[in-house]
Amino acid sequence: MASALEELQKDLEEVKVLLEKATRKRVRDALTTEKSKIETEIKNKVQQKSQRKAELVDSEKPAAVVAPITTGYTMKISNYGWDQSDKFVKIYITLTGVHQIPTENVQVHFTERSFDLLVKNLNGKSYSMIVNNLLKPISVEGSSKKVKTDTVLILCRKKAENTRWDYLTQVEKECKEKEKPSYDTETDPSEGLMNVLKKIYEDGDDDMKRTINKAWVESREKQAKGDTEF
């Protein structure tokens, strides 16, 4: 049995044949109108058929695979330990279960004076650690990372081997030096002594303050007399 679309196409062909043979205007006008109606119906049928085909193809497509959420948020790593050998500065970061994730999820980028660590999709979180202004230059090519049980080990290859790092970063060094008493061998020694006495005076009890005041008065008196043995 012919489909509705095929029947319409046959009707159209027959109308065209009749239209070619018709000589009366009234008949030609009627056939022309009918021809337009059939062409419109055929166009609608074709569009409906295409739409149904597209819907059928979509329904047969496999369900889209939703990629798993790799990370909820990123946590900054602030706790770590470090030591050194003649060739390497070693940074230890403890992350439970880090050895169970794919190796490519642990990424470290080195520059001559910095490194940054990114651990992705560890128990639904990411972890990052950025260390800038390393105390001394490192070899980018010679530096690497190792993943051990619950630990990431970052190996910074010293550019100058057999040199000791007292601090991991330049910032740590500057902070520690600010905490030290202000001894400066290039300045007047008496100025350094005065700074020490000032700190002792500020931190001392009443007896200590009286002792320092007495020593100061005696020192000034000796200087006035030309005796600078103090």
Side-chain angles (χ1 to χ4, degrees), residues 20-37:
E20 289 175 358
K21 294 180 179 180
T23 57
R24 303 288 294 176
K25 183 178 183 303
R26 186 173 179 181
V27 174
R28 287 184 62 83
D29 289 345
L31 289 172
T32 300
T33 301
E34 187 64 24
K35 176 176 173 287
S36 297
K37 287 173 60 179

Side-chain angles (χ1 to χ4, degrees), residues 147-211:
V147 178
K148 300 186 176 183
T149 303
D150 297 332
T151 302
V152 177
L153 170 60
I154 297 176
L155 298 165
C156 295
R157 180 70 179 256
K158 294 179 178 178
K159 221 167 192 183
E161 297 183 5
N162 300 311
T163 57
R164 177 174 176 77
W165 290 29
D166 293 324
Y167 308 95
L168 181 61
T169 66
Q170 186 68 28
V171 174
E172 289 181 18
K173 178 184 178 182
E174 292 173 359
C175 289
K176 292 294 184 182
E177 288 181 347
K178 285 180 181 178
E179 295 175 2
K180 293 179 180 179
S182 55
Y183 299 114
D184 190 345
T185 56
E186 296 183 1
T187 59
D188 185 353
S190 64
E191 184 179 345
L193 177 59
M194 288 303 300
N195 288 332
V196 174
L197 289 174
K198 182 180 178 182
K199 182 171 179 58
I200 294 174
Y201 183 87
E202 290 174 350
D203 296 341
D205 56 18
D206 291 342
D207 290 338
M208 178 63 72
K209 290 177 180 178
R210 281 194 292 269
T211 302

